[in-house]
């Protein structure tokens, strides 16, 4: 009986503490952009100029994405497909900008990082090639 009582007391004392904690704060677009730029700098071996441009593109596009999402949620839109369409639009804007900033090999590595670029395969020399081109060259 005392064990049940002790458990109930602990739950009662701990209950307000659990709900008093604030949920983790959502990061601002510029914070997410900076983190992503640092990650890309390491993964893609970007030059300082490229890091500057990538960070600028990401900050602008992430802010635009957040603004569009906020506008959609403010108007009561709840359909996930609409949000996916908007997200895809902004991802495409990133891809279009990065195509101009990155070298071909860096761009392909970026595609691989985000789960795209399945049509490319890494060759023995460490460079990426389109799969059908590599197959034709080996026959």
């Amino acid at each position: 009986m005392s064990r049940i009582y002790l458990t109930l007391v602990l739950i009662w004392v701990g209950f307000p503490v659990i709900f008093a904690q604030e949920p983790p704060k959502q990061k601002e677009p510029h914070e997410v952009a900076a983190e992503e730029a640092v990650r890309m700098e390491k993964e893609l071996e970007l030059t300082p100029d490229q890091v500057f441009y990538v960070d600028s593109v990401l900050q602008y596009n992430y802010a635009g994405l957040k603004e569009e999402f906020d506008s959609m949620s403010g108007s009561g839109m709840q359909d996930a497909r609409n949000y996916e369409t908007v997200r895809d639009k902004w991802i495409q804007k990133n891809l279009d900008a990065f195509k101009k900033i990155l070298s071909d090999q860096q761009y392909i590595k970026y595609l691989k990082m985000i789960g795209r670029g399945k049509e490319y395969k890494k060759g023995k020399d460490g460079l990426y090639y389109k799969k059908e081109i590599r197959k034709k060259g080996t026959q």
Side-chain angles (χ1 to χ4, degrees), residues 20-122:
Q21 295 175 354
E22 292 182 26
K25 187 180 175 203
Q26 187 176 7
K27 292 182 182 179
E28 293 294 319
H30 68 274
E31 295 171 319
V32 176
E35 290 174 3
E36 182 67 10
V38 168
R39 184 173 78 97
M40 288 177 65
E41 178 182 21
K42 291 175 186 172
E43 294 285 324
L44 305 177
E45 300 173 6
L46 301 179
T47 66
D49 290 344
Q50 287 176 315
V51 173
F52 172 78
Y53 289 123
V54 163
D55 183 55
S56 298
V57 165
L58 289 173
Q59 283 193 34
Y60 179 81
N61 287 347
Y62 285 171
L65 174 66
K66 183 180 183 318
E67 185 178 312
E68 201 162 342
F69 276 177
D70 290 346
S71 172
M72 291 169 68
S73 66
S75 67
M77 195 173 295
Q78 296 180 356
D79 187 9
R81 290 175 294 194
N82 293 330
Y83 285 91
E84 289 171 8
T85 301
V86 169
R87 182 201 63 209
D88 291 345
K89 175 184 86 171
W90 286 97
I91 288 173
Q92 189 58 49
K93 286 184 180 210
N94 283 346
L95 293 174
D96 293 343
F98 292 162
K99 184 94 169 153
K100 297 174 185 175
I101 298 168
L102 306 175
S103 71
D104 289 341
Q105 290 297 308
Q106 288 172 322
Y107 183 73
I108 295 168
K109 283 183 187 178
Y110 176 72
L111 290 175
K112 293 286 199 177
M113 279 174 52
I114 64 170
R116 296 185 180 192
K118 294 183 185 346
E119 68 272 17
Y120 295 99
K121 184 173 182 169
K122 198 175 217 178

